[in-house]
Amino acid sequence: MAVPWWKSTVVYQVYPRSFADGSGDGIGDLPGLLDHLDHLAWLGVGALWLSPVYRSPMADFGYDVADHCAVDPVFGTLADLDAVIAAAHERGLRVMLDWVPNHTSDEHPWFVESRSSRTSDKRDWYVWRDSPPGGGPPNNWLSNFTDRSPAWTRDETTGQWYLHCYLPQQPDLNWDNPAVEAAMHDVLRFWLDRGVDGFRADVVHLIGKELDRDDDPRHVANGIPHTPLNDVAVTHERIRRIRRLLDRYPSEPPMVGEVWLLSTRRMATYYGQGDELHMSFNFPFVFAPWEAGALHERIDRTRAELDPIDAWPTWVLSNHDNPRVRTRYGGTLDRARAAAVLLLTLRGTPFLYQGDELGLLDAEVPVGARVDPGGRDGCRAPMPWTAEPPHGWPSGTWLPFGPDPAGTSVTAQESDPDSMLHLHRRLLHERRSSAALSHGSFAWLPAPEGVLAYERREGEDRRWVLVNTLSDRIDAVLPGLGTVVVATEKGVEQHPYSGYLGPDGAVVVRPS
Ligand code: NOJ
């Protein structure tokens, strides 16, 4: 049976504000992306996930959508997006859009109408409640990015409270209302009919809620927002209906869900029985430290939860919400290189965040220049395209560059075959040309402490992978002889494997 494209691809996340600027206003946009699609084709990824480009007041930089079917002028026009989709397809790249189903902007016409009166036609499109008898918000849920403030804001116009799991400018839609569900299904159809290949669904586990339950004691104890605690049965029915919509398209477009639960076991339930999400992000792996034991445990947990239900894993080390992998793992390039080998050789679909192929570090953003209410500016620093200032951004950048924009730039690394960029290109090439690596089975191999060792296999095709998480040289034997096809260290590729790994060294070996 043919393997669906999303199981044998690597998805590259484009955070458009920071990717490339075509208009010259210091903010990345669709013409900039169009101009740089060749970078992705050259690199060898198979798909891109585009973070939101919809019309938005940008309180959450696009995750506050004011029109799901229009492009914000800061990013360009609908015609620009059509051009990106067409040009991506010409290069053999699939396009996945970000679909934001849980909330809209408070400037979305639906919310403007909803808040206008208690009897408005759209009142029930959002979640409105009165104060309980003692006053105050309807329950004790806390929101994200608001320093432990309630997930409710009282609206002066009508004296009721509306729910917002994120900023007050991001009111939650009421998915209990079938009209909301139908409208959000229409959004999916709108984009599928324009040729989009799939979706990333933002905090999709929030589209069902048990709103009238008692206060949740976990909020009080930990001060954590409601988002990672929301896990209720009705959501699964709704995701199954989304899946049926997707399955009606001959291309069977996939949806990867951002299920922001910090439990792989709970996350796994959102695959349903092959009738919910095609893939889901798995945050416990994202947050694992750079230690073989911890990584081994989280990989095993993922396999234990997903394999029995035939669910396809995803692997993520960075995104626009968390410190970059190189920064999280201590800052050295060697370690980031070894992490790239891990990310791109596990069984499942890797999601590579823009700039990780360059080994970017988070930017230090001075207090006065910070713009994100969630404190995530550092990992959103712009891509340095050229070694020469202004690094491909003719009119400045909305956020400062990370450290060493010249040395980490695309042009500097393109001319250095030992660079991080070329390492990614070789890994991606090897993955595409090996059935074992792209979709084959996975089995651990015996390994000394501090080393991850595994075999990928599909029929006769096999690869062995060794990743040293220690800062020491270490002997690590393989089950047989083989040729190193990709290595983090210089000068060892295309030679027989030597039997040892350098500090934070990693190799992919083709058995002889
Ligand atoms: C998750 C997104 O990745 C994040 O950037 C956003 O702030 C929240 N969802 C709210 O949409």
Side-chain angles (χ1 to χ4, degrees):
M1 216 178 69
V3 179
W5 66 264
W6 47 271
K7 287 192 177 178
S8 60
T9 201
V10 174
V11 183
Y12 183 96
Q13 183 192 352
V14 173
Y15 188 72
R17 290 182 78 84
S18 300
F19 191 67
D21 180 10
S23 69
D25 63 355
I27 299 175
D29 50 33
L30 292 167
L33 170 57
L34 186 65
D35 268 358
H36 291 78
L37 278 179
D38 284 335
H39 172 72
L40 304 191
W42 175 86
L43 191 58
V45 296
L48 61 99
W49 146 32
L50 182 60
S51 281
V53 291
Y54 316 111
R55 200 155 66 69
S56 166
M58 304 290 165
D60 189 15
F61 295 107
Y63 284 94
D64 48 324
V65 178
D67 184 343
H68 299 92
C69 301
V71 168
D72 194 274
V74 87
F75 295 122
T77 62
L78 201 50
D80 291 327
L81 184 48
D82 287 341
V84 164
I85 295 168
H89 288 168
E90 276 164 25
R91 289 161 178 76
L93 295 164
R94 304 289 208 311
V95 178
M96 301 177 81
L97 290 191
D98 217 314
W99 179 62
V100 187
N102 176 63
H103 44 266
T104 68
S105 161
D106 61 345
E107 293 184 21
H108 195 296
W110 298 342
F111 188 71
V112 173
E113 192 175 335
S114 183
R115 87 188 317 177
S116 65
S117 89
R118 288 191 184 217
T119 55
S120 110
D121 276 356
K122 294 252 174 345
R123 186 63 168 180
D124 200 29
W125 280 48
Y126 293 82
V127 182
W128 295 97
R129 293 285 185 278
D130 290 318
S131 285
N139 70 19
N140 74 345
W141 293 4
L142 300 178
S143 51
N144 286 280
F145 314 145
T146 58
D147 200 16
R148 302 183 177 198
S149 297
W152 299 91
T153 289
R154 188 172 175 281
D155 194 42
E156 290 306 323
T157 319
T158 57
Q160 282 194 309
W161 301 75
Y162 67 88
L163 178 70
H164 53 88
C165 286
Y166 287 86
L167 299 170
Q169 298 94 317
Q170 292 168 291
D172 280 30
L173 283 163
N174 174 20
W175 273 75
D176 292 344
N177 180 346
V180 166
E181 182 165 349
M184 291 308 296
H185 282 196
D186 284 346
V187 172
L188 292 172
R189 286 193 205 95
F190 176 85
W191 291 111
L192 289 169
D193 295 343
R194 291 193 99 83
V196 157
D197 301 289
F199 298 95
R200 177 265 191 187
D202 189 68
V203 284
V204 71
H205 67 300
L206 293 185
I207 63 173
K209 300 188 184 84
E210 283 177 356
L211 268 156
D212 298 315
R213 229 171 44 173
D214 290 343
D215 281 353
D216 191 328
R218 293 170 294 182
H219 290 296
V220 182
N222 309 318
I224 47 174
H226 181 67
T227 305
L229 305 174
N230 193 86
D231 185 21
V232 301
V234 70
T235 308
H236 297 277
E237 290 169 26
R238 293 174 186 166
I239 296 180
R240 281 196 289 276
R241 288 198 283 272
I242 293 166
R243 177 62 179 260
R244 287 204 287 276
L245 180 161
L246 297 171
D247 284 349
R248 278 198 282 274
Y249 280 75
S251 61
E252 296 182 18
M255 177 172 279
V256 55
E258 187 200 24
V259 176
W260 218 96
L261 296 173
L262 299 178
S263 150
T264 300
R265 189 172 55 81
R266 297 306 313 156
M267 175 282 289
T269 65
Y270 288 79
Y271 286 81
Q273 294 173 341
D275 55 357
E276 296 188 32
L277 298 172
H278 298 79
M279 296 181 277
S280 172
F281 294 142
N282 175 29
F283 288 97
F285 179 75
V286 183
F287 301 131
W290 183 243
E291 288 167 21
L295 289 162
H296 195 294
E297 192 269 327
R298 296 200 197 186
I299 293 166
D300 265 353
R301 172 61 64 84
T302 308
R303 298 172 63 221
E305 299 295 349
L306 297 190
D307 290 359
I309 57 168
D310 203 19
W312 188 249
T314 64
W315 302 103
V316 175
L317 289 176
S318 296
N319 61 28
H320 64 296
D321 290 332
N322 296 288
R324 282 187 178 276
V325 59
R326 179 169 168 194
T327 302
R328 277 190 299 112
Y329 286 169
T332 69
L333 189 57
D334 284 350
R335 198 165 278 185
R337 287 169 73 92
V341 173
L342 177 69
L343 177 71
L344 297 175
T345 59
L346 287 170
R347 177 179 174 274
T349 298
F351 285 72
L352 176 65
Y353 179 45
Q354 72 181 37
D356 272 3
E357 79 277 25
L358 305 175
L360 297 188
L361 285 159
D362 281 6
E364 292 285 344
V365 183
V367 180
R370 292 184 192 160
V371 289
D372 176 45
R376 299 161 293 182
D377 294 325
C379 65
R380 297 176 175 183
M383 289 276 287
W385 289 101
T386 58
E388 293 298 313
H391 309 301
W393 292 73
S395 323
T397 51
W398 71 292
L399 284 173
F401 288 104
D404 190 19
T408 58
S409 68
V410 173
T411 53
Q413 298 202 41
E414 267 172 355
S415 56
D416 172 7
D418 295 318
S419 65
M420 180 71 155
L421 181 60
H422 275 280
L423 172 67
H424 275 81
R425 188 165 186 247
R426 291 197 302 279
L427 281 166
L428 288 161
H429 176 83
E430 187 63 22
R431 190 179 167 102
R432 279 168 96 102
S433 58
S434 157
L437 281 180
S438 75
H439 56 267
S441 63
F442 174 102
W444 291 113
L445 297 173
E449 206 168 313
V451 173
L452 296 165
Y454 45 92
E455 178 179 87
R456 303 289 315 279
R457 178 180 212 138
E458 177 68 28
E460 293 300 301
D461 187 38
R462 286 187 300 160
R463 295 291 181 280
W464 292 321
V465 181
L466 291 170
V467 180
N468 180 12
T469 64
L470 304 175
S471 309
D472 307 309
R473 190 190 120 140
I474 192 157
D475 292 331
V477 290
L478 280 170
L481 298 177
T483 304
V484 176
V485 287
V486 187
T488 53
E489 290 174 72
K490 293 180 197 173
V492 299
E493 288 178 8
Q494 307 313 329
H495 293 285
Y497 171 60
S498 61
Y500 67 86
L501 297 163
D504 287 315
V507 289
V508 182
V509 174
R510 189 179 54 232
S512 334

